[in-house]
Amino acid sequence: SVESGAPYVEVEAMKMIMPIKATESGKITHNLSPGTVISAGDLLGTLELKDPSKVKKILTYEGALDIEATPVDTDAQEAVNNILAGYKGDAEAAAAAIFEGVTDPEAASAIVTAAINDFLAVETQFDGKLKDDVVRDLAKANAETLETVISVNIAHQQLAMRTKLLLAILRQEAGFSANTHGSLDDALLTALKSLSKLQGKEYGEVTLAAESLIRKSKVPPFATRVADLRAQLLDSETDLTDLSQSATLSAGVDLLSALFSDDDIDVRKKALEVYVRRVYRSYRVLELSVDEKDGRLTCSFSFQFADIPESQSVVRRGQMSVVSGMDSLKDELPKILEDFGSRFEVESTADGPVNVLHVAGISGDVDVASVEAAITGEASKLNMLGIRTVNALVPVAEKDPMYYTFPQCDGFKESVLRRNMRPTFHHLLELGRLDSNYDLERIDAVGRNVQTYIGSEKTAKPARGGPPQVVFVRGISHTPGLVSAQGARRALLQGLDELERAQANSKVNLQSSSRIFLHSLPEVEGTTAEEIAENFDGIMDLLKSKLATRLLKLRVDEIEVKVRLVTTDDDGKPLIQPVRLVASSMEGEWLKTAAFIEKPDPVTGVTREFCTLGKDKDSVCVLDPYGTSNIVQTKRAIARRVGSTYAYDFLGLLEVGLIDEWDEYLKSLSSSADSDVIAEGMPSGLFAAQELIEDDEGNLVLGSRSIGSNKVGMVAWQVTMKTPEFPEGRDVVFIANDVTVQSGSFGVPEDDLYFKASTYARKRGLPRVYIA
């Protein structure tokens, strides 16, 4: 119980303790445990009043409201202007009304341009600034007309409503631009570019919409792209295998489906062959043939996993059949399966189903339920033929096709996770590894070969604020040179751009961890796995030093790159050796590099073991699914939630800063400078840190312990740094406040450790740096 005027809880902020007192006497029930980080609006406790009569009740008003009804007639333009000025209204209805009767694209563009400019007139004043600073500057600039200050603030306060209106208007514009093949007039394009440059997370949805319209305006008309691809197929000098592996085909692979119904049988066959070879380019295609039988174009092929020795790899069969439309699938599927059985000698295997079936429609709308019913109705035949997945490609007029996948493991029911995903993407992006520990929700990505997911950790225990969240950006690359510094930088920047857009999604919270995965499909030749691993260490050091600010801003905790190394198996036959390069903060050190040789399963193709690579590293093989949050990840999320950095992450940032300092120093040396220094480059062992911990007698000594196991909110290290000014290295003592322990509060243990670390530095004549 608590008496009126007595404190019932103490809160600490900026090292100040503040008691919060009860305004009435009664029985207090605390809602939060000691040490909890609190935010505005959090419920700290509930009070059962000692005197219930003091409870203030809300009663229903039973009188009559003497308010005269006033009809209001507002035209569409005025309704839009009112919402943009900060007055409430029906945003969707206003957007629809202002375009009612508009058929001229120029008139539509003028409406959109005016709305964007009105929106920007207010929001550019607030973007990236503190509201108090903006109001103060506005008041100074408009001392004689404070109405301007008030109107700007009223508009900004209704940002959510104004954003909703602008998004509805941009959707209307998307319809007009589609009818004019995506072209935009100069005024609208300029306004959209300005809109896309807004930086605040609160502007994420409108910036994404603006970027989408800008991108579409730069894409040639669908018919033009199809015609160019058709001409390429008819060119007698075009090698279909080379075309299927070309980086320039990345966007055109889906266009190939538009040629499955071409009037020229030669074009139809070549389009189908290139499509299959492209989709299965990461596999070892053994045989492939295309024919047309009974008016049905069919490609039959056999293939193996290229990263498994030929003698051990299971031979898989595949078939892709083109039908007139998905509405006829129920009648066509039995014929397709009969054809499949006649083409291949299907053997039962203890390994389970390994074959694949693809069906492409030429025209018509799709009813997923009816397609699923047609496929599940033939489940017994599909199982008899050993078919592992059925994939349906459905055309969309003058757009990329839709994809639907029906895996055998789900009883041939559609996998929503794989919807609109090319047939082999699920395997190439290793989504099965994610699905075991995370509930995945796919969100929009810009790149056609990139997919972005919000992963919510599967946990039996409810967590305050919801389960830990991870943003996964996963992509494949058809561009060679990824293992070079320039190629790696380009790929990482693309990944960070995708993360930047994902962070604008309202479903992504501010504590989420971010992880990037890139599967490079072009084969790497003329090197070894060990050389690739060693090169990766140097590239990551350089990228961390150049992109540290952005990596921290986007909370990147792991970067994975999978490359395909050309080698030979024990029989001397060609073999692709997967090499996984990882930079991870999962164990505490910031983006620490590691490299692994992978050993895939001969049947599923999924990696069973990861064996370590690199100098001075014991060769250990481990199983490595994407685990759930460990103590380091949990503490890192706590620090991010309060807008801080986890204390142990500062060590990695110090190392990055040191690398950057050396890089700038070496660049600054002219040809007349000390050539020996330039030739030697950065010294090895630039940075080393050892933690200062208390022994059994309370003395501070050099030692080690698991990161995140400290019980005191103060940590210290003795760091050795080799700087350009002191290349032999010098020692410095760093002390940091750990915000994840008791919210970073200073108590006696923290003060004691700070004093001991300071004494340790003074006795040894070492500089001391404190990170608050």
Side-chain angles (χ1 to χ4, degrees):
S1 62
V2 63
E3 296 298 323
S4 177
Y8 67 91
V9 71
E10 287 183 339
V11 297
E12 182 268 338
M14 300 300 292
K15 315 303 181 252
M16 294 184 292
I17 304 294
M18 293 168 285
I20 298 180
K21 300 177 181 180
T23 56
E24 297 289 345
S25 301
K27 181 181 178 181
I28 185 74
T29 301
H30 294 94
N31 284 60
L32 302 177
S33 58
T36 300
V37 177
I38 61 174
S39 302
D42 283 354
L43 181 63
L44 304 183
T46 56
L47 182 66
E48 182 180 339
L49 292 182
K50 187 175 182 180
D51 181 1
S53 65
K54 293 187 176 181
V55 174
K56 295 179 181 179
K57 298 180 180 181
I58 300 175
L59 301 176
T60 303
Y61 179 70
E62 297 179 350
L65 296 175
D66 186 17
I67 300 175
E68 182 179 352
T70 305
V72 178
D73 294 324
T74 306
D75 63 29
Q77 184 63 62
E78 188 178 357
V80 168
N81 291 341
N82 286 342
I83 295 174
L84 287 172
Y87 298 99
K88 293 183 179 181
D90 189 334
E92 299 286 351
I98 199 172
F99 282 95
E100 188 174 350
V102 177
T103 57
D104 180 16
E106 291 186 4
S109 294
I111 293 172
V112 179
T113 303
I116 293 174
N117 288 335
D118 282 351
F119 184 88
L120 290 172
V122 173
E123 299 310 324
T124 50
Q125 300 184 68
F126 289 89
D127 188 26
K129 303 173 185 174
L130 292 174
K131 183 178 178 181
D132 289 348
D133 293 342
V134 175
V135 174
R136 183 178 61 250
D137 293 342
L138 281 171
K140 288 181 179 179
N142 299 275
E144 302 299 325
T145 55
L146 290 179
E147 292 83 359
T148 301
V149 182
I150 296 172
S151 62
V152 169
N153 276 274
I154 289 174
H156 180 66
Q157 286 175 355
Q158 294 298 324
L159 176 60
M161 178 65 69
R162 296 166 68 243
T163 296
K164 187 177 181 180
L165 172 68
L166 194 57
L167 288 172
I169 289 175
L170 291 176
R171 285 196 297 272
Q172 295 282 349
E173 168 58 31
F176 279 94
S177 61
N179 295 330
T180 57
H181 304 296
S183 59
L184 302 172
D185 66 39
D186 292 341
L188 177 55
L189 186 59
T190 300
L192 286 169
K193 287 181 178 178
S194 298
L195 187 61
S196 68
K197 291 178 181 178
L198 293 175
Q199 298 297 315
K201 183 178 174 66
E202 62 272 24
Y203 305 117
E205 290 184 276
V206 292
T207 58
L208 290 177
E211 288 174 356
S212 177
L213 282 172
I214 293 171
R215 273 197 316 277
K216 289 177 180 177
S217 72
K218 297 178 181 179
V219 177
F222 184 84
T224 302
R225 290 183 287 141
V226 171
D228 290 344
L229 187 56
R230 186 179 189 276
Q232 199 171 5
L233 291 174
L234 287 173
D235 190 338
S236 59
E237 296 184 0
T238 299
D239 184 289
L240 298 185
T241 302
D242 290 344
L243 178 60
S244 70
Q245 297 180 357
S246 170
T248 60
L249 189 65
S250 182
V253 61
D254 293 312
L255 288 176
L256 287 164
S257 62
L259 296 172
F260 292 168
S261 58
D262 194 88
D263 294 336
D264 189 331
I265 180 64
D266 194 35
V267 172
R268 295 200 297 271
K269 286 185 174 182
K270 287 182 176 180
L272 187 56
E273 177 178 344
V274 173
Y275 178 87
V276 172
R277 288 190 181 278
R278 176 64 165 203
V279 169
Y280 286 89
R281 74 160 291 182
S282 64
Y283 296 80
R284 185 187 298 122
V285 177
L286 305 175
E287 295 177 323
L288 186 147
S289 63
V290 182
D291 57 43
E292 194 165 68
K293 181 180 178 182
D294 299 328
R296 187 172 59 247
L297 188 66
T298 299
C299 176
S300 57
F301 56 102
S302 60
F303 63 103
Q304 294 176 317
F305 287 117
D307 49 9
I308 298 171
E310 194 171 329
S311 59
Q312 301 174 22
S313 185
V314 175
V315 177
R316 301 158 187 273
R317 317 291 182 183
Q319 180 171 306
M320 184 167 188
S321 297
V322 181
V323 298
S324 59
M326 285 299 161
D327 51 355
S328 64
L329 185 62
K330 185 175 181 180
D331 297 327
E332 293 283 351
L333 189 56
K335 302 173 186 177
I336 292 172
L337 295 178
E338 184 179 349
D339 187 27
F340 190 105
S342 66
R343 291 173 183 267
F344 301 115
E345 188 175 324
V346 180
E347 302 175 356
S348 60
T349 170
D351 298 325
V354 295
N355 302 321
V356 294
L357 176 65
H358 303 269
V359 182
I362 291 177
S363 61
D365 296 329
V366 63
D367 177 4
V368 180
S370 63
V371 172
E372 183 180 282
I375 294 172
T376 54
E378 300 291 338
S380 59
K381 291 182 181 179
L382 291 167
N383 285 320
M384 183 178 66
L385 293 170
I387 292 177
R388 189 179 187 89
T389 57
V390 179
N391 181 268
L393 182 155
V394 180
V396 179
E398 296 199 352
K399 292 183 180 180
D400 291 331
M402 295 288 290
Y403 292 96
Y404 302 90
T405 301
F406 307 84
Q408 188 269 348
C409 59
D410 294 336
F412 294 109
K413 295 185 180 297
E414 193 220 350
S415 170
V416 178
L417 179 65
R418 305 190 197 191
R419 180 173 292 184
N420 204 23
M421 185 185 299
R422 291 177 194 156
T424 54
F425 262 34
H426 186 270
H427 176 74
L428 293 175
L429 297 180
E430 301 183 359
L431 296 181
R433 296 179 66 205
L434 302 185
D435 197 33
S436 60
N437 286 326
Y438 293 90
D439 291 318
L440 299 175
E441 179 181 357
R442 186 174 171 185
I443 59 177
D444 290 339
V446 174
R448 185 64 180 166
N449 291 325
V450 177
Q451 293 183 5
T452 305
Y453 295 88
I454 300 175
S456 298
E457 192 175 298
K458 294 179 180 178
T459 175
K461 298 180 179 179
R464 181 172 177 258
Q469 187 185 84
V470 180
V471 178
F472 294 101
V473 171
R474 307 182 77 76
I476 63 172
S477 172
H478 294 278
T479 305
L482 193 65
V483 292
S484 67
Q486 185 177 3
R489 179 184 174 86
R490 181 184 64 251
L492 181 55
L493 285 173
Q494 290 173 348
L496 294 177
D497 288 344
E498 292 286 357
L499 268 181
E500 197 91 51
R501 296 181 182 97
Q503 295 293 340
N505 193 299
S506 58
K507 296 179 181 179
V508 177
N509 64 46
L510 296 176
Q511 298 85 47
S512 62
S513 171
S514 302
R515 304 181 195 176
I516 299 173
F517 170 83
L518 185 62
H519 191 159
S520 177
L521 297 185
E523 292 79 10
V524 179
E525 300 182 79
T527 187
T528 65
E530 289 75 14
E531 289 172 344
I532 291 174
E534 185 176 355
N535 190 39
F536 178 69
D537 289 344
I539 290 174
M540 277 308 304
D541 283 344
L542 183 62
L543 292 179
K544 286 193 294 183
S545 69
K546 298 301 181 185
L547 302 173
T549 301
R550 200 169 179 205
L551 289 166
L552 286 169
K553 172 192 171 187
L554 297 173
R555 305 182 293 279
V556 178
D557 289 329
E558 194 161 72
I559 300 168
E560 285 185 279
V561 179
K562 185 174 181 177
V563 298
R564 295 157 47 83
L565 176 64
V566 176
T567 182
T568 56
D569 61 19
D570 295 338
D571 298 326
K573 295 184 177 181
L575 176 69
I576 299 299
Q577 174 62 68
V579 179
R580 186 175 301 260
L581 309 169
V582 181
S584 177
S585 307
M586 306 304 288
E587 299 302 323
E589 294 184 49
W590 190 62
L591 294 181
K592 181 181 179 181
T593 57
F596 303 89
I597 288 286
E598 299 188 13
K599 295 183 178 180
D601 184 281
V603 177
T604 65
V606 176
T607 303
R608 294 184 304 186
E609 292 181 335
F610 300 82
C611 301
T612 55
L613 266 175
K615 295 179 180 179
D616 304 322
K617 295 180 181 177
D618 296 330
S619 182
V620 177
C621 295
V622 295
L623 296 173
D624 186 35
Y626 284 108
T628 53
S629 298
N630 55 27
I631 185 65
V632 175
Q633 282 298 96
T634 301
K635 284 179 172 286
R636 189 174 283 129
I638 292 172
R640 287 169 177 166
R641 187 162 63 240
V642 295
S644 185
T645 300
Y646 185 40
Y648 286 87
D649 285 345
F650 283 110
L651 297 177
L653 297 178
L654 287 169
E655 184 176 7
V656 166
L658 193 57
I659 293 169
D660 191 41
E661 188 175 332
W662 269 100
D663 187 51
E664 293 298 324
Y665 171 67
L666 293 174
K667 285 180 180 178
S668 68
L669 295 177
S670 64
S671 57
S672 60
D674 190 342
S675 59
D676 291 337
V677 175
I678 299 174
E680 290 176 5
M682 295 186 196
S684 60
L686 272 184
F687 183 91
Q690 196 166 6
E691 190 167 0
L692 292 167
I693 57 178
E694 291 181 300
D695 60 16
D696 294 338
E697 298 178 358
N699 299 314
L700 216 54
V701 296
L702 294 172
S704 62
R705 60 182 170 187
S706 299
I707 294 176
S709 62
N710 57 299
K711 304 298 182 185
V712 177
M714 195 70 66
V715 288
W717 305 270
Q718 181 172 322
V719 173
T720 302
M721 298 184 292
K722 295 180 180 179
T723 63
E725 299 81 6
F726 208 96
E728 294 80 10
R730 68 177 304 177
D731 292 338
V732 179
V733 170
F734 280 87
I735 309 172
N737 184 203
D738 185 354
V739 73
T740 69
V741 179
Q742 293 293 325
S743 304
S745 300
F746 264 78
V748 174
E750 287 74 24
D751 185 66
D752 193 34
L753 194 140
Y754 182 93
F755 175 76
K756 289 178 180 178
S758 300
T759 302
Y760 180 95
R762 283 194 296 271
K763 284 184 176 179
R764 291 161 178 78
L766 303 178
R768 182 203 64 186
V769 178
Y770 173 60
I771 304 173

